[in-house]
Amino acid sequence: DQQVKQNSPSLSVQEGRISILNCDYTNSMFDYFLWYKKYPAEGPTFLISISSIKDKNEDGRFTVFLNKSAKHLSLHIVPSQPGDSAVYFCAASGGNTPLVFGKGTRLSVIA
Amino acid sequence: GAVVSQHPSWVICKSGTSVKIECRSLDFQATTMFWYRQFPKQSLMLMATSNEGSKATYEQGVEKDKFLINHASLTLSTLTVTSAHPEDSSFYICSGWTTSQNYGYTFGSGTRLTVV
């Protein structure tokens, strides 16, 4: 049973446009959500997070939106840059429990 | 910021041998270390959780006698893959966590293990 789902395995976006990566979860106990970026053969790098008490968190070009009723969150990157090309993992946690990861979405930003 | 140093970054070993992977938290004390494994085109899967000074807790389906985890200090955790087989070939990543980080899970750079 996959508790965190990223239904799009890949996404291609033109440089300068907006990238929107989606994530759905099933466990209503999750109260903290994180996005990680991962390059091949490297460990994931923390990107941005959001607590369940918020519905939006912004950090520079990255914004995460949380819709608790729909159990859905999304990561917006604008403007997208070629260096953003990587695999993006959505992760969720409840309390101090281990993170549960989605399968990732490979973003390709085309110049 | 917080850094977890993981090594080796890649290793090739023969079937039947053992491989040790180390993760060190460089500027914080990791009270908890999570060990993950990632197969190609799949998500990061949690293998085990270790707290400093106590036995690791393994996820269902992970053999504790095969994947030995030691978390002897707040800055060092090791994963030893014993009697490795080709099916153990994977990407292994550790993640350090401490109460002061407030959900800032810090990942190591990962180890690519190839068993031939």
Side-chain angles (χ1 to χ4, degrees), chain B residues 45-73:
Chain B
M45 298 298 295
L46 179 68
M47 296 175 65
T49 302
S50 73
N51 294 298
E52 183 265 337
S54 61
K55 288 185 179 180
T57 303
Y58 291 81
E59 296 300 299
Q60 196 172 13
V62 178
E63 299 174 58
K64 62 180 181 181
D65 294 329
K66 181 173 184 59
F67 299 98
L68 301 178
I69 291 173
N70 185 285
H71 195 163
S73 76

Side-chain angles (χ1 to χ4, degrees), chain B residues 18 27 29 31 36 39 41-42 50-52 55 59-60 66-67 70 77-78 91 94-97 112-114:
Chain B
S18 296
D27 47 8
Q29 294 182 324
T31 51
Y36 295 87
F39 292 108
K41 297 184 180 179
Q42 294 189 27
S50 73
N51 294 298
E52 183 265 337
K55 288 185 179 180
E59 296 300 299
Q60 196 172 13
K66 181 173 184 59
F67 299 98
N70 185 285
S77 179
T78 61
F91 191 59
C94 63
S95 173
W97 182 87
R112 180 161 300 284
L113 170 64
T114 302

